[in-house]
Amino acid sequence: MQISEKYNPQETEQKWYNYWLENKFFHSEPNEKPPYTVVIPPPNVTGILHMGHMLNNTIQDVLVRRARMQGFNACWVPGTDHASIATEAKVVAKLKSEGINKSDITREEFLKHAWDWTDKYGGTILEQLKKLGCSCDWDRTRFTLEDKMSQQVIKSFVELYNKGLIYRGYRMVNWDPEAKTNISDEEVIFKEQNGKLYFLKYKIEGTEDFLSVATTRPETIFGDTAVCINPNDERYAHLKGKNVIVPIVNRVIPIIEDEYVDIEFGTGALKITPAHDINDYEIGQKHNLQMIDALDDDGNLNDHGLHYSGKNRFDVRKQIAKELEENDLLLKAEDYVNKVGTSERTGAVIEPKVSVQWFLKMSDIAKPALDVVMDDEVKFYPEKFKNTYKHWMDNIRDWNISRQLWWGQQIPAFYYGDGENDFVVAENIEDALVLAKQKTGNDQLTTDNLKQDEDALDTWFSSWLWPMSVFDGLLDPDNKDINYYYPTSDLVTGPDIIFFWVARMIMAGLEFKGEVPFKNVYFTGIVRDKQRRKMSKQLGNSPDPLDLISQYGADGVRVGSLLSSAAGNDLLFDEDLMVQGRNFMTKIWNAFRLTQNWNKEDKPLIASDHQAIEWFDNQLNKSIAEINDQFDKFRISDALHLIQKLVKDDFCGWYLEAIKPNYGEGISKEVYDQTILFFEELMKLLHPFMPFLSEELWQLITERKPEEALVIAQQKMAEEFNEEIIKNFETAEEIISGVRNYRQTKGISPREAVEVYTNAENFENEAVVKKLASISEIHFGEKTDKPSFTFLVGSTEVSIPLSEKLDLEEEKKKTEEEVKYLKGFLISVDKKLSNEKFVANAKPEVVEVERKKQKDAQDKIAILEEKLKTL
């Protein structure tokens, strides 16, 4: 068979991906097999593939392909997320560039633009995942804003509202002035920022005295409605019950007392701005303070800001500091490092804001979701994330689920009046009308009298249903798909969305189905560069995964990204890993080419063939057992390392060398057939990691029908293996390596046969040792008087008489230096072992290691001194 000299990923990858799709190998329907189900963490619909996606989806594909090859009915459901904040921001920006303001068009007109945008740019990332080799069931692709998905979101809202778990409340929320919506507490990222601590003078009413108050946000003085002191602060005892005047604003406000105030912070006097700080809001509620909101939705000062009206909050901060100073109302300003809340989506500094929002009560639904993780009904890999999860669940707050956006599921609340409770909640306006008539007793109401809530639901409120909604589990709770595929098997995701998504999916699964949504959660690490910085577009340190695929092949990139990717640990991206991945592909390709260049002959097996085949068969079974064990522990990187060792070292490095025919000779047909059988088993093990190369080689071995494709072939189950056969071959490898080391260090040609003397009575794999070490004769149980190169393998001593070509004086000098070094090393080990304190306190295994070092050094010195005598 003619096989090209080099493997060409570009030619191969599209060919086999199309073949898999044409034959529907990725498609799944319920059947008699056990299901293995994975739902993709849905990427943003208009997103593009980045390094994090690549790692996450490679791991999912490895798990899914392996399950398919282990007798499971594997179903990997793909899809995308409508990403309300990110997508709406892009559409608003696009409209702005066309001279259109969102506020000037209707909701329907805006949504048409948003759908056009989504249709144009959406789904690119799913096509890119195909380039990576992802074996998703593309017939099952879902989108969180498609009709059936939205119906399930609305249905869940109505159900939770009717259970009393969803309520509408006037609360302080996190306002994102850039996205122009509130966001949940989990979407606020606190970052350290350098700023100033301003000490302002609040004049005490009716006096020339003033009270110094420290703040990092002087622009919020327009919303001040009190100054608070600690009742136990003796410095201010004389001010109790008095009033102060807000600088610049000249509003008279009371001095109030509350133990919340930290006497040690700033001046011990706190300005209270209930509309602009969560803690001030709580104090304001407690003391019945007026609420003055001085900022608009864009983060600009409103009319309460007087002459600063319409100006940006950060500009006002600088300008007001100057005005305060000019009017002798600023005592001082100090540099100050502050933790500032920012929006996870836009990066904008969050503005606390009081408004009416919709909330989901979390305490009742959080407890069962905590218990299933702590009791390992849902297992976390690595387990350390259980503590992170527990801390959040123990301190959970109600979830603010409404967003001031149009792109998303519109809240199904319908208002029939202006009163606080003049609304009903229903799945559609027709059902709402029935409820409104019942609630009001007014049969004259029509749908024209009903106005739906303008807000949309938080995107996470749709994606928390994902493992159920992709199978239409809330629309048709007893359909065959949900009954067969749910609960899903494994979830692969990042630890950064453990609260946003993982915790909430567990809550939703228990709430709506009474079952956990998945059995295992594998947390990937974050992909970082060599300087440990998170990869991002802004830093320009993130390579384009598609560029890497075109350069190194999809399989090279998959292997490269998994080589150093232990669960939960960050992956330090290094392009050298991709080079290693590509080199591994080349090694496998060349190994197969080597076997195809041999002439097959009808001749009996020789001893070295028997020994190599017996060993590799046992080694293969042992490796399969070890690989399965690593997969059971979700140590996918370690499983890959074991496969790499089996292929690269054991098969290519030892087995092929042991059975390789001598130059000019053919190979026994029986040995060749067995070798191809071994190679096929290796391709099955490799396939989940390197699907394209393995399928190409599998199809090159022999002509196959579609039902014989590697993608659906079954992996070999682990069978019994003989550990002694494996250990004996490892001993042979060490002897061969020792002889090769002699040749290398002494410059002896591999073709020059050598004699060997040994204290052993025999070598278990004598034929393999003689062939691979190029040994003409082995003298068992004999010593030699000739000057020789001697080494130990366990207690076996192996001596090779030195070649006559060697300079014996030079050899003597080198040997004396080696003895000197070893004696120095032995002194340090003896010193450690003669230290009673060390021996008594160190772990037994540590002491054992030192004793082994001592014996090895003594044995080597004895051998070298014997060698010196012969020299």
Side-chain angles (χ1 to χ4, degrees):
M1 187 188 301
Q2 281 302 308
I3 296 168
S4 62
E5 196 176 318
K6 285 183 178 175
Y7 171 61
N8 186 333
Q10 279 72 31
E11 280 178 19
T12 308
E13 289 168 4
Q14 199 57 53
K15 173 180 74 176
W16 291 119
Y17 203 85
N18 289 342
Y19 176 78
W20 297 327
L21 289 179
E22 284 159 14
N23 287 286
K24 296 248 175 216
F25 291 138
F26 304 158
H27 183 61
S28 171
E29 289 292 339
N31 62 20
E32 71 292 342
K33 288 183 182 179
Y36 176 82
T37 319
V38 171
V39 291
I40 201 169
N44 287 2
V45 64
T46 57
I48 55 167
L49 194 68
H50 59 57
M51 296 299 290
H53 291 134
M54 192 181 74
L55 172 64
N56 183 294
N57 286 284
T58 296
I59 291 167
Q60 288 178 82
D61 196 44
V62 168
L63 293 172
V64 171
R65 285 181 182 271
R66 179 172 178 268
R68 201 178 279 125
M69 299 177 83
Q70 295 212 318
F72 289 91
N73 180 0
C75 178
W76 183 11
V77 183
T80 50
D81 187 84
H82 63 276
S84 53
I85 294 178
T87 308
E88 183 146 331
K90 284 176 181 171
V91 176
V92 168
K94 174 191 171 281
L95 291 173
K96 213 170 195 177
S97 71
E98 296 167 5
I100 304 168
N101 283 322
K102 179 188 168 187
S103 55
D104 296 337
I105 58 175
T106 65
R107 185 187 202 110
E108 288 65 35
E109 287 169 334
F110 177 82
L111 289 176
K112 188 183 180 308
H113 285 290
W115 278 109
D116 288 347
W117 172 273
T118 303
D119 292 341
K120 185 175 180 182
Y121 297 103
T124 301
I125 191 163
L126 298 184
E127 291 306 310
Q128 292 174 324
L129 289 176
K130 292 175 183 177
K131 298 282 182 200
L132 189 60
C134 293
S135 60
C136 301
D137 184 348
W138 299 108
D139 297 335
R140 291 184 176 273
T141 304
R142 304 304 297 260
F143 174 45
T144 52
L145 209 53
E146 67 179 70
D147 285 347
K148 279 191 170 182
M149 299 293 272
S150 288
Q151 284 171 39
Q152 294 178 85
V153 174
I154 298 305
K155 193 178 181 69
S156 70
F157 183 98
V158 174
E159 195 175 312
L160 292 167
Y161 176 80
N162 290 336
K163 283 182 179 178
L165 290 169
I166 286 179
Y167 64 93
R168 188 168 176 256
Y170 191 65
R171 296 284 175 86
M172 178 152 277
V173 296
N174 308 296
W175 186 258
D176 180 340
E178 198 168 307
K180 293 188 184 54
T181 179
N182 78 89
I183 59 173
S184 67
D185 293 338
E186 291 71 40
E187 291 166 293
V188 178
I189 309 296
F190 285 91
K191 294 179 181 174
E192 283 196 347
Q193 289 189 3
N194 294 318
K196 296 273 186 191
L197 187 60
Y198 299 91
F199 291 79
L200 278 50
K201 293 180 180 180
Y202 284 66
K203 275 197 178 173
I204 297 156
E205 190 185 26
T207 75
E208 287 303 308
D209 296 335
F210 64 84
L211 179 60
S212 176
V213 177
T215 180
T216 56
R217 305 184 63 205
E219 71 278 7
T220 61
I221 60 172
F222 300 102
D224 287 358
T225 54
V227 166
C228 193
I229 57 173
N230 190 308
N232 305 311
D233 194 338
E234 292 174 7
R235 294 173 297 172
Y236 300 129
H238 65 292
L239 295 178
K240 290 178 182 181
K242 297 198 173 177
N243 296 326
V244 291
I245 299 163
V246 182
I248 296 175
V249 187
N250 294 322
R251 183 189 305 126
V252 176
I253 58 172
I255 294 174
I256 61 171
E257 301 164 51
D258 198 293
E259 290 192 342
Y260 165 78
V261 177
D262 182 356
I263 295 173
E264 302 298 320
F265 178 75
T267 64
L270 190 69
K271 71 190 220 44
I272 305 298
T273 318
H276 296 293
D277 182 275
I278 183 64
N279 299 311
D280 290 10
Y281 173 74
E282 303 289 346
I283 292 172
Q285 293 291 98
K286 189 172 165 185
H287 294 271
N288 294 315
L289 296 175
Q290 182 190 2
M291 193 154 343
I292 301 170
D293 188 348
L295 290 167
D296 66 15
D297 289 352
D298 294 309
N300 297 329
L301 275 287
N302 59 23
D303 289 344
H304 288 293
L306 305 176
H307 47 289
Y308 291 107
S309 177
K311 291 186 177 177
N312 178 274
R313 54 189 167 151
F314 299 119
D315 293 338
V316 174
R317 186 176 299 176
K318 292 174 194 163
Q319 292 166 24
I320 205 166
K322 200 174 169 192
E323 185 180 350
L324 287 163
E325 194 171 6
E326 286 168 356
N327 288 287
D328 194 26
L329 293 169
L330 182 66
L331 191 65
K332 60 178 177 174
E334 295 176 349
D335 289 337
Y336 187 70
V337 177
N338 199 13
K339 277 206 165 178
V340 177
T342 61
S343 167
E344 187 243 358
R345 282 285 173 209
T346 65
V349 172
I350 289 304
E351 200 57 61
K353 192 176 179 65
V354 176
S355 67
V356 176
Q357 302 290 340
W358 291 87
F359 295 88
L360 173 59
K361 290 179 186 172
M362 298 300 274
S363 52
D364 291 349
I365 61 172
K367 182 162 188 336
L370 172 60
D371 292 343
V372 293
V373 170
M374 300 320 288
D375 297 341
D376 285 338
E377 194 180 331
V378 175
K379 288 185 178 166
F380 281 4
Y381 297 88
E383 206 177 356
K384 66 181 181 184
F385 287 111
K386 278 171 78 170
N387 293 331
T388 313
Y389 182 84
K390 183 178 188 309
H391 177 74
W392 185 71
M393 295 295 263
D394 282 342
N395 296 283
I396 201 160
R397 295 169 71 169
D398 287 355
W399 178 10
N400 172 2
I401 55 173
S402 49
R403 297 289 178 271
Q404 288 63 59
L405 300 166
W406 284 347
W407 180 245
Q409 286 90 6
Q410 193 171 354
I411 289 176
F414 299 85
Y415 300 88
Y416 52 79
D418 299 326
E420 202 172 309
N421 293 306
D422 289 354
F423 67 87
V424 291
V425 169
E427 289 183 42
N428 53 60
I429 198 163
E430 290 76 24
D431 290 353
L433 183 60
V434 174
L435 292 173
K437 283 179 178 178
Q438 288 171 3
K439 196 170 173 183
T440 61
N442 179 1
D443 283 340
Q444 303 308 308
L445 285 177
T446 68
T447 52
D448 291 339
N449 302 122
L450 299 182
K451 186 176 185 298
Q452 191 171 351
D453 196 303
E454 284 287 313
D455 289 354
L457 285 159
D458 180 7
T459 306
W460 295 107
F461 194 80
S462 57
S463 49
W464 80 320
L465 304 174
W466 187 249
M468 297 174 285
S469 60
V470 294
F471 300 114
D472 295 331
L474 277 81
L475 282 184
D476 183 1
D478 204 28
N479 76 69
K480 64 181 173 66
D481 280 358
I482 193 78
N483 288 338
Y484 179 75
Y485 293 114
Y486 187 93
T488 67
S489 307
D490 301 326
L491 176 75
V492 180
T493 188
D496 49 336
I497 54 172
I498 190 169
F499 313 130
F500 290 132
W501 198 44
V502 179
R504 288 169 179 167
M505 279 191 289
I506 295 172
M507 291 182 220
L510 293 170
E511 180 65 26
F512 295 108
K513 290 294 293 178
E515 284 182 281
V516 296
F518 28 72
K519 301 173 193 81
N520 302 296
V521 182
Y522 175 98
F523 291 106
T524 62
I526 290 167
V527 184
R528 299 184 182 278
D529 64 14
K530 284 191 266 191
Q531 294 164 254
R532 296 192 169 272
R533 298 176 305 173
K534 187 175 176 178
M535 289 196 158
S536 68
K537 278 188 213 164
Q538 287 84 353
L539 287 174
N541 63 344
S542 181
D544 181 341
L546 294 182
D547 288 346
L548 293 174
I549 288 170
S550 64
Q551 196 173 350
Y552 301 104
D555 291 337
V557 171
R558 287 165 67 111
V559 166
S561 61
L562 287 178
L563 279 173
S564 68
S565 173
N569 292 331
D570 291 348
L571 180 142
L572 295 183
F573 176 78
D574 187 341
E575 212 160 312
D576 283 351
L577 292 169
M578 308 293 137
V579 175
Q580 281 182 45
R582 185 177 62 190
N583 291 348
F584 187 36
M585 288 196 299
T586 303
K587 181 87 178 171
I588 298 161
W589 184 259
N590 288 343
F592 181 67
R593 280 185 68 238
L594 175 71
T595 65
Q596 299 311 295
N597 288 332
W598 292 335
N599 290 320
K600 295 168 275 296
E601 297 173 2
D602 285 321
K603 62 179 187 180
L605 277 70
I606 56 175
S608 57
D609 295 335
H610 278 294
Q611 290 165 9
I613 289 168
E614 183 186 47
W615 160 69
F616 192 77
D617 188 45
N618 281 276
Q619 182 63 58
L620 178 62
N621 281 305
K622 182 185 180 183
S623 295
I624 288 170
E626 289 173 339
I627 290 159
N628 290 344
D629 179 55
Q630 295 302 330
F631 268 106
D632 289 345
K633 294 169 183 168
F634 281 84
R635 300 177 70 95
I636 295 165
S637 178
D638 293 339
L640 173 59
H641 280 283
L642 284 170
I643 294 170
Q644 195 178 32
K645 181 196 172 294
L646 178 67
V647 174
K648 206 170 158 185
D649 300 346
D650 298 335
F651 184 75
C652 299
W654 290 107
Y655 175 78
L656 288 183
E657 291 297 312
I659 56 121
K660 187 166 71 175
N662 292 326
Y663 185 74
E665 293 179 18
I667 191 169
S668 156
K669 189 173 182 311
E670 192 181 334
V671 174
Y672 172 81
D673 290 344
Q674 183 57 58
T675 301
I676 292 303
L677 284 175
F678 284 149
F679 191 76
E680 286 182 332
E681 293 305 331
L682 294 178
M683 290 308 98
K684 290 178 190 175
L685 290 174
L686 265 173
H687 182 77
F689 295 94
M690 308 177 87
F692 296 110
L693 172 73
S694 56
E695 186 75 74
E696 172 77 357
L697 290 168
W698 178 263
Q699 302 280 354
L700 283 172
I701 290 168
T702 185
E703 203 171 311
R704 317 251 187 194
K705 295 172 189 164
E707 60 269 25
E708 296 170 318
L710 178 59
V711 66
I712 52 168
Q714 296 303 288
Q715 287 185 348
K716 174 180 164 71
M717 303 303 286
E719 294 169 13
E720 291 293 313
F721 58 89
N722 187 325
E723 190 68 62
E724 197 177 340
I725 289 171
I726 294 168
K727 279 198 172 127
N728 287 338
F729 200 88
E730 283 169 1
T731 302
E733 287 175 4
E734 285 188 61
I735 294 167
I736 295 160
S737 297
V739 176
R740 287 174 175 174
N741 181 42
Y742 158 72
R743 293 180 189 282
Q744 198 178 347
T745 55
K746 309 304 175 198
I748 307 299
S749 164
R751 293 198 184 115
E752 188 180 316
V754 294
E755 282 184 85
V756 162
Y757 291 80
T758 177
N759 60 351
E761 292 306 313
N762 66 349
F763 287 163
E764 280 298 328
N765 295 281
E766 183 184 343
V768 170
V769 171
K770 287 179 89 169
K771 179 177 180 178
L772 295 188
S774 190
I775 296 171
S776 55
E777 193 175 349
I778 302 173
H779 303 276
F780 290 107
E782 285 186 42
K783 274 197 164 197
T784 177
D785 295 332
K786 298 173 189 171
S788 56
F789 176 91
T790 304
F791 59 90
L792 281 172
V793 176
S795 57
T796 300
E797 195 176 294
V798 180
S799 299
I800 308 162
L802 294 174
S803 168
E804 291 170 9
K805 298 171 188 171
L806 283 177
D807 182 336
L808 294 187
E809 272 306 312
E810 182 63 28
E811 190 62 29
K812 185 179 175 184
K813 192 178 165 189
K814 279 183 188 172
T815 308
E816 284 169 344
E817 282 171 8
E818 204 173 338
V819 169
K820 187 180 173 185
Y821 166 76
L822 283 169
K823 282 183 173 176
F825 174 74
L826 186 59
I827 289 166
S828 68
V829 176
D830 287 344
K831 200 173 176 183
K832 203 179 260 190
L833 288 170
S834 62
N835 182 340
E836 290 176 16
K837 211 171 180 182
F838 168 76
V839 175
N841 297 328
K843 287 181 181 176
E845 57 267 31
V846 172
V847 176
E848 196 49 47
V849 166
E850 293 302 318
R851 289 206 169 112
K852 189 176 182 312
K853 284 182 190 173
Q854 184 185 49
K855 186 174 185 316
D856 287 351
Q858 288 166 343
D859 291 348
K860 281 177 185 170
I861 289 166
I863 286 168
L864 291 171
E865 285 180 338
E866 194 66 34
K867 178 181 173 180
L868 281 171
K869 284 179 193 171
T870 62
L871 284 168

